Amino acid sequence: MADSNNIKVVTDADFQSVIADNNGLSMVDFWASWCGPCRMIAPFVEQLADEYAGQVTVAKLDVDANQRTAAQFGVRSIPTVLFFKNGQVVDQVVGAVPKPALDRKIQEHLA
């Protein structure tokens, strides 16, 4: 799964404390092990986690194991990447997108 040390693995149990209570920008990758497009964007998520270490909290949430959180945020297709600022959803990207598309979203919300 996450090769980067800068990626947090979140679950239904700790999503609130790790993401929702966070006062900065967070990017959460909602994924599943069987999802091909999820595997396509995983390296981009890991690279961005390393590039924005200390500025952005990057997390991955396995939707099969954590259905409550996925349902809470209306995640119906994966991969879905949600961007949270001060605990509120401010943006989302659905589907396999190139790394620059995710990078642009981070830049937009860090500004």
Side-chain angles (χ1 to χ4, degrees):
M1 208 231 9
D3 290 332
S4 171
N5 292 333
N6 294 311
I7 292 183
K8 297 180 182 333
V9 176
V10 292
T11 64
D12 284 346
D14 66 4
F15 189 89
Q16 182 71 34
S17 62
V18 176
I19 302 300
D21 294 341
N22 183 3
N23 277 334
L25 181 63
S26 300
M27 179 174 98
V28 183
D29 177 14
F30 288 78
W31 73 287
S33 59
W34 50 263
C35 166
C38 297
R39 289 194 298 273
M40 287 172 55
I41 71 162
F44 307 149
V45 173
E46 291 170 13
Q47 290 163 15
L48 291 167
D50 292 338
E51 291 169 22
Y52 289 98
Q55 295 178 279
V56 178
T57 299
V58 178
K60 290 178 76 84
L61 181 128
D62 182 333
V63 297
D64 288 337
N66 301 283
Q67 295 177 3
R68 189 179 78 222
T69 302
Q72 177 184 349
F73 292 102
V75 173
R76 288 182 177 73
S77 61
I78 54 175
T80 291
V81 178
L82 294 182
F83 295 85
F84 293 81
K85 197 163 194 177
N86 302 327
Q88 300 297 312
V89 176
V90 292
D91 215 334
Q92 72 173 13
V93 175
V94 179
V97 296
K99 181 182 171 192
L102 295 172
D103 196 18
R104 264 193 309 278
K105 295 288 187 181
I106 291 173
Q107 290 291 328
E108 184 182 322
H109 295 293
L110 275 179

